[in-house]
PDB file of all heavy atoms in Angstrom:
ATOM      1  N   LEU A 435     118.595 101.193 122.314  1.00 92.00           N
ATOM      2  CA  LEU A 435     119.183 102.354 121.643  1.00 92.00           C
ATOM      3  C   LEU A 435     120.493 101.956 120.965  1.00 92.00           C
ATOM      4  O   LEU A 435     120.827 102.454 119.881  1.00 92.00           O
ATOM      5  CB  LEU A 435     119.405 103.468 122.660  1.00 92.00           C
ATOM      6  CG  LEU A 435     119.831 104.834 122.121  1.00 92.00           C
ATOM      7  CD1 LEU A 435     118.799 105.386 121.164  1.00 92.00           C
ATOM      8  CD2 LEU A 435     120.073 105.800 123.276  1.00 92.00           C
ATOM      9  N   ARG A 436     121.235 101.050 121.584  1.00 92.00           N
ATOM     10  CA  ARG A 436     122.491 100.578 120.988  1.00 92.00           C
ATOM     11  C   ARG A 436     122.223  99.868 119.661  1.00 92.00           C
ATOM     12  O   ARG A 436     122.913 100.107 118.666  1.00 92.00           O
ATOM     13  CB  ARG A 436     123.195  99.627 121.954  1.00 92.00           C
ATOM     14  CG  ARG A 436     124.514  99.072 121.404  1.00 92.00           C
ATOM     15  CD  ARG A 436     125.149  98.050 122.316  1.00 92.00           C
ATOM     16  NE  ARG A 436     125.632  98.658 123.567  1.00 92.00           N
ATOM     17  CZ  ARG A 436     124.985  98.563 124.722  1.00 92.00           C
ATOM     18  NH1 ARG A 436     123.842  97.875 124.791  1.00 92.00           N
ATOM     19  NH2 ARG A 436     125.459  99.148 125.800  1.00 92.00           N
ATOM     20  N   GLU A 437     121.215  99.006 119.632  1.00 92.00           N
ATOM     21  CA  GLU A 437     120.880  98.295 118.400  1.00 92.00           C
ATOM     22  C   GLU A 437     120.433  99.256 117.309  1.00 92.00           C
ATOM     23  O   GLU A 437     120.748  99.070 116.129  1.00 92.00           O
ATOM     24  CB  GLU A 437     119.787  97.267 118.673  1.00 92.00           C
ATOM     25  CG  GLU A 437     120.233  96.115 119.565  1.00 92.00           C
ATOM     26  CD  GLU A 437     119.078  95.243 120.006  1.00 92.00           C
ATOM     27  OE1 GLU A 437     117.913  95.718 119.959  1.00 92.00           O
ATOM     28  OE2 GLU A 437     119.315  94.093 120.414  1.00 92.00           O
ATOM     29  N   ASP A 438     119.702 100.293 117.688  1.00 90.00           N
ATOM     30  CA  ASP A 438     119.232 101.271 116.713  1.00 90.00           C
ATOM     31  C   ASP A 438     120.390 102.022 116.081  1.00 90.00           C
ATOM     32  O   ASP A 438     120.388 102.312 114.879  1.00 90.00           O
ATOM     33  CB  ASP A 438     118.269 102.247 117.396  1.00 90.00           C
ATOM     34  CG  ASP A 438     117.291 102.863 116.428  1.00 90.00           C
ATOM     35  OD1 ASP A 438     117.743 103.546 115.496  1.00 90.00           O
ATOM     36  OD2 ASP A 438     116.078 102.644 116.578  1.00 90.00           O
ATOM     37  N   LEU A 439     121.409 102.332 116.872  1.00 92.00           N
ATOM     38  CA  LEU A 439     122.553 103.093 116.371  1.00 92.00           C
ATOM     39  C   LEU A 439     123.505 102.220 115.560  1.00 92.00           C
ATOM     40  O   LEU A 439     124.046 102.655 114.540  1.00 92.00           O
ATOM     41  CB  LEU A 439     123.304 103.733 117.541  1.00 92.00           C
ATOM     42  CG  LEU A 439     122.597 104.919 118.221  1.00 92.00           C
ATOM     43  CD1 LEU A 439     123.277 105.249 119.540  1.00 92.00           C
ATOM     44  CD2 LEU A 439     122.574 106.130 117.306  1.00 92.00           C
ATOM     45  N   THR A 440     123.734 100.989 116.000  1.00 92.00           N
ATOM     46  CA  THR A 440     124.696 100.131 115.312  1.00 92.00           C
ATOM     47  C   THR A 440     124.171  99.621 113.974  1.00 92.00           C
ATOM     48  O   THR A 440     124.919  98.955 113.249  1.00 92.00           O
ATOM     49  CB  THR A 440     125.087  98.936 116.198  1.00 92.00           C
ATOM     50  OG1 THR A 440     123.904  98.273 116.665  1.00 92.00           O
ATOM     51  CG2 THR A 440     125.913  99.389 117.385  1.00 92.00           C
ATOM     52  N   LEU A 441     122.926  99.919 113.638  1.00 89.00           N
ATOM     53  CA  LEU A 441     122.459  99.629 112.285  1.00 89.00           C
ATOM     54  C   LEU A 441     123.318 100.377 111.265  1.00 89.00           C
ATOM     55  O   LEU A 441     123.564  99.887 110.157  1.00 89.00           O
ATOM     56  CB  LEU A 441     120.988 100.042 112.128  1.00 89.00           C
ATOM     57  CG  LEU A 441     119.948  99.176 112.839  1.00 89.00           C
ATOM     58  CD1 LEU A 441     118.580  99.837 112.755  1.00 89.00           C
ATOM     59  CD2 LEU A 441     119.897  97.782 112.247  1.00 89.00           C
ATOM     60  N   ALA A 442     123.765 101.576 111.642  1.00 88.00           N
ATOM     61  CA  ALA A 442     124.584 102.377 110.735  1.00 88.00           C
ATOM     62  C   ALA A 442     126.041 101.943 110.751  1.00 88.00           C
ATOM     63  O   ALA A 442     126.727 102.028 109.722  1.00 88.00           O
ATOM     64  CB  ALA A 442     124.485 103.862 111.105  1.00 88.00           C
ATOM     65  N   LYS A 443     126.509 101.442 111.886  1.00 89.00           N
ATOM     66  CA  LYS A 443     127.911 101.036 111.988  1.00 89.00           C
ATOM     67  C   LYS A 443     128.006  99.811 112.891  1.00 89.00           C
ATOM     68  O   LYS A 443     128.281  99.934 114.098  1.00 89.00           O
ATOM     69  CB  LYS A 443     128.772 102.180 112.531  1.00 89.00           C
ATOM     70  CG  LYS A 443     130.269 101.894 112.476  1.00 89.00           C
ATOM     71  CD  LYS A 443     131.076 103.084 112.974  1.00 89.00           C
ATOM     72  CE  LYS A 443     132.575 102.789 112.877  1.00 89.00           C
ATOM     73  NZ  LYS A 443     133.388 103.946 113.368  1.00 89.00           N
ATOM     74  N   PRO A 444     127.789  98.643 112.342  1.00 89.00           N
ATOM     75  CA  PRO A 444     127.901  97.415 113.157  1.00 89.00           C
ATOM     76  C   PRO A 444     129.298  97.307 113.760  1.00 89.00           C
ATOM     77  O   PRO A 444     130.308  97.572 113.110  1.00 89.00           O
ATOM     78  CB  PRO A 444     127.627  96.297 112.147  1.00 89.00           C
ATOM     79  CG  PRO A 444     126.868  96.945 111.035  1.00 89.00           C
ATOM     80  CD  PRO A 444     127.391  98.343 110.953  1.00 89.00           C
ATOM     81  N   GLY A 445     129.342  96.923 115.012  1.00 86.00           N
ATOM     82  CA  GLY A 445     130.635  96.760 115.664  1.00 86.00           C
ATOM     83  C   GLY A 445     131.139  98.005 116.357  1.00 86.00           C
ATOM     84  O   GLY A 445     132.203  97.960 116.994  1.00 86.00           O
ATOM     85  N   ALA A 446     130.417  99.112 116.241  1.00 89.00           N
ATOM     86  CA  ALA A 446     130.857 100.339 116.920  1.00 89.00           C
ATOM     87  C   ALA A 446     130.783 100.134 118.434  1.00 89.00           C
ATOM     88  O   ALA A 446     129.831  99.548 118.949  1.00 89.00           O
ATOM     89  CB  ALA A 446     129.986 101.515 116.499  1.00 89.00           C
ATOM     90  N   ASP A 447     131.791 100.630 119.163  1.00 91.00           N
ATOM     91  CA  ASP A 447     131.777 100.474 120.618  1.00 91.00           C
ATOM     92  C   ASP A 447     130.910 101.556 121.250  1.00 91.00           C
ATOM     93  O   ASP A 447     130.464 102.509 120.590  1.00 91.00           O
ATOM     94  CB  ASP A 447     133.188 100.494 121.186  1.00 91.00           C
ATOM     95  CG  ASP A 447     133.946 101.765 120.815  1.00 91.00           C
ATOM     96  OD1 ASP A 447     133.313 102.835 120.726  1.00 91.00           O
ATOM     97  OD2 ASP A 447     135.171 101.690 120.616  1.00 91.00           O
ATOM     98  N   ASP A 448     130.683 101.417 122.541  1.00 91.00           N
ATOM     99  CA  ASP A 448     129.780 102.337 123.241  1.00 91.00           C
ATOM    100  C   ASP A 448     130.299 103.765 123.226  1.00 91.00           C
ATOM    101  O   ASP A 448     129.518 104.732 123.176  1.00 91.00           O
ATOM    102  CB  ASP A 448     129.569 101.874 124.675  1.00 91.00           C
ATOM    103  CG  ASP A 448     128.720 100.602 124.754  1.00 91.00           C
ATOM    104  OD1 ASP A 448     128.290 100.127 123.678  1.00 91.00           O
ATOM    105  OD2 ASP A 448     128.482 100.111 125.872  1.00 91.00           O
TER     106      ASP A 448
END
Side-chain angles (χ1 to χ4, degrees):
L435 188 60
R436 179 185 292 102
E437 293 170 340
D438 206 299
L439 288 167
T440 52
L441 288 172
K443 188 178 181 180
D447 57 34
D448 289 359

